[in-house]
Amino acid sequence: MTASNILDIFDKITNIKSGGVIERYGFNDFLEVAREVRTKVTDDIWLEVGWDILEGMGLEELSGCDYDILTALEHIPSDSDLIDIQTFLRHTLVETLLEQFESGGTTALLDIERMVGTPADVLIPKILDLRREEMENTVITVVGKEVILYDVFMNMIGTITEPKEPVILEDLWLTAYGCQVLSAMHLGLKTDLITLSKIKAVLEKMELTLNIEWSERVINKSHVNMSEAMKTLILRRASNLKR
């Protein structure tokens, strides 16, 4: 792909962000540009473009959904105006998210505050339930061992920890609350025991428990249900936050 092609594609992405392009040029031209951009970018980038499209249409409450927006756009009648499109997308995405949530779908990047007072607020109770459930099912593995300390009389006086390698935070990043906390703390995909204790303390203030398990190897116990595109996007953002 040439530099000029890349600039052209991202110029079109910028144009897609504005709902005004539909009112000015019509839905068919808008859809044609969306199709072209979709063929030029990776799945994770397209998710972000889809959120830009939603926000540009005044549907900010649905931004962050794990859904290929082009799937819905392809089913919209060609003579639809912006109001028709907004109505169609709201109905389609709320129904789709409800179905996803029944299968434990991700809520990691959805913003509840934006949903309040919109048709999407029916999703909030289920989102809160799912977020607590995923935290209960998430375990952070510390590779190493705890060593028991004894005095000269062989009385136990405490323990010390001997981690063999950094603590992997990938599974925590893939949860909604974990993503929020780790982003706020500007952490990447790995950390140490001291920082892990700080993460645990922050979550406890939110009345959440961080499950930590010592093991000889990393154990992936993530039960989060999300697309590979969403996973790639979240972990890419996490990597970019590394201090």
Side-chain angles (χ1 to χ4, degrees):
M1 185 183 299
T2 66
S4 60
N5 284 338
I6 293 174
L7 290 174
D8 183 53
I9 289 168
F10 279 90
D11 179 60
K12 290 178 178 179
I13 290 175
T14 302
N15 289 333
I16 282 178
K17 290 181 182 179
S18 173
V21 73
I22 296 175
E23 296 178 319
R24 182 174 180 180
Y25 298 106
F27 179 67
N28 282 339
D29 286 349
F30 172 83
L31 182 57
E32 183 179 346
V33 173
R35 286 170 176 157
E36 180 181 353
V37 173
R38 179 66 187 95
T39 65
K40 302 296 184 181
V41 297
T42 58
D43 292 347
D44 57 309
I45 295 296
W46 177 249
L47 270 182
E48 293 179 301
V49 174
W51 302 337
D52 286 338
I53 291 173
L54 290 171
E55 292 185 12
M57 292 184 184
L59 303 176
E60 296 88 352
E61 71 273 16
L62 297 170
S63 180
C65 60
D66 189 6
Y67 182 73
D68 183 344
I69 191 67
L70 189 60
T71 303
L73 294 176
E74 293 283 10
H75 288 86
I76 296 175
S78 60
D79 59 348
S80 299
D81 60 20
L82 183 58
I83 300 299
D84 294 333
I85 295 168
Q86 289 173 326
T87 302
F88 181 90
L89 289 176
R90 275 199 177 99
H91 174 78
T92 299
L93 286 176
V94 168
E95 290 299 315
T96 298
L97 289 173
L98 283 171
E99 291 177 5
Q100 288 183 358
F101 295 164
E102 288 302 314
S103 302
T106 182
T107 71
L109 299 182
L110 293 172
D111 188 336
I112 288 178
E113 291 185 2
R114 287 181 166 186
M115 294 181 178
V116 175
T118 75
D121 62 8
V122 299
L123 301 172
I124 294 176
K126 187 61 176 178
I127 289 174
L128 294 175
D129 288 343
L130 285 171
R131 289 180 173 180
R132 288 197 170 272
E133 287 175 12
E134 68 184 7
M135 285 301 300
E136 292 171 359
N137 293 325
T138 298
V139 178
I140 301 302
T141 304
V142 178
V143 178
K145 60 183 178 180
E146 288 185 292
V147 179
I148 300 175
L149 301 178
Y150 298 91
D151 61 18
V152 293
F153 302 105
M154 295 306 294
N155 297 312
M156 178 179 171
I157 58 175
T159 63
I160 60 172
T161 55
E162 294 185 350
K164 293 182 179 179
E165 54 190 70
V167 180
I168 306 299
L169 297 174
E170 180 175 314
D171 287 350
L172 188 57
W173 265 107
L174 299 180
T175 68
Y177 290 129
C179 187
Q180 291 173 16
V181 169
L182 296 175
S183 294
M185 296 178 70
H186 298 283
L187 298 175
L189 293 172
K190 297 179 181 180
T191 193
D192 53 34
L193 287 179
I194 294 176
T195 306
L196 184 64
S197 66
K198 294 178 181 178
I199 296 169
K200 182 178 176 65
V202 172
L203 289 169
E204 286 176 348
K205 289 181 179 179
M206 299 168 64
E207 299 184 352
L208 298 167
T209 299
L210 178 61
N211 300 309
I212 300 173
E213 183 175 292
W214 286 80
S215 176
E216 295 182 355
R217 59 184 177 83
V218 175
I219 302 174
N220 188 334
K221 291 190 176 182
S222 175
H223 297 278
V224 176
N225 181 13
M226 64 175 58
S227 68
E228 283 300 313
M230 178 67 89
K231 180 177 180 179
T232 299
L233 187 156
I234 291 174
L235 297 183
R236 168 166 54 81
R237 290 183 176 182
S239 296
N240 292 337
L241 277 176
K242 183 178 180 181
R243 291 187 293 188

